[in-house]
Amino acid sequence: MAHKATEFFAQFIYSLDLSYHSLLEREGELKTGFTAILEQYGGEFIHFEEIGDTMRAQCVFDEYEEELFHNICDELAPWMDAFVEARLLFVNKDLSFLHIYTVSDGNWQESCLKLPEAGPLERAVREERR
């Protein structure tokens, strides 16, 4: 398999006010729409997993780019309303950064975490790559 820089995870949380039928209908629409969004931005190996009142998603991307993450959030935000919200996690596979997003009521928020270097060995490897 080709090198993929980003591992992506999502969790969708449904309102307890949704009937079982409404939840299944909404889930089907969301899977189809979100798959199209992910594919539009280069997402591969897309997988969904339904668990009660939540749904998980995951895939990979070639690059780790904040602009890519923002575009996905912008596309997803209109789908998030009083009946569904989401949390997104983009993991740099070199474990240098994590980008975390929440999407609710048509808006999104961002948080970024830079992981510390493991120690002198990692520092030396990073210096060598420059």
Side-chain angles (χ1 to χ4, degrees), residues 30-118:
L30 184 56
K31 284 169 70 173
T32 300
F34 195 52
T35 296
I37 292 168
L38 294 174
E39 288 176 343
Q40 173 185 345
Y41 291 102
E44 297 181 44
F45 308 109
I46 301 167
H47 174 74
F48 290 93
E49 182 176 45
E50 301 84 8
I51 303 170
D53 293 326
T54 66
M55 179 175 65
R56 296 176 185 166
Q58 70 182 87
C59 73
V60 295
F61 293 95
D62 286 336
E63 303 298 325
Y64 192 87
E65 298 175 355
E66 193 170 356
E67 182 178 348
L68 165 72
F69 311 153
H70 292 182
N71 289 338
I72 291 170
C73 288
D74 287 340
E75 296 272 347
L76 180 62
W79 292 74
M80 302 296 103
D81 55 22
F83 298 104
V84 63
E85 57 192 25
R87 297 186 306 168
L88 312 178
L89 171 64
F90 295 88
V91 179
N92 177 288
K93 288 173 105 177
D94 286 331
L95 298 182
S96 53
F97 290 98
L98 302 175
H99 275 78
I100 304 158
Y101 298 85
T102 58
V103 190
S104 180
D105 292 322
N107 298 300
W108 56 268
Q109 298 178 69
E110 172 184 41
S111 181
C112 178
L113 178 64
K114 182 179 187 316
L115 281 69
E117 292 177 343

Side-chain angles (χ1 to χ4, degrees), residues 3-53:
H3 172 73
K4 304 293 180 186
T6 303
E7 191 77 31
F8 167 76
F9 301 93
Q11 179 192 40
F12 297 93
I13 303 99
Y14 301 107
S15 169
L16 297 176
D17 293 335
L18 285 173
S19 69
Y20 180 71
H21 176 73
S22 295
L23 186 147
L24 291 179
E25 184 177 310
R26 189 68 184 265
E27 192 169 70
E29 293 169 352
L30 184 56
K31 284 169 70 173
T32 300
F34 195 52
T35 296
I37 292 168
L38 294 174
E39 288 176 343
Q40 173 185 345
Y41 291 102
E44 297 181 44
F45 308 109
I46 301 167
H47 174 74
F48 290 93
E49 182 176 45
E50 301 84 8
I51 303 170
D53 293 326

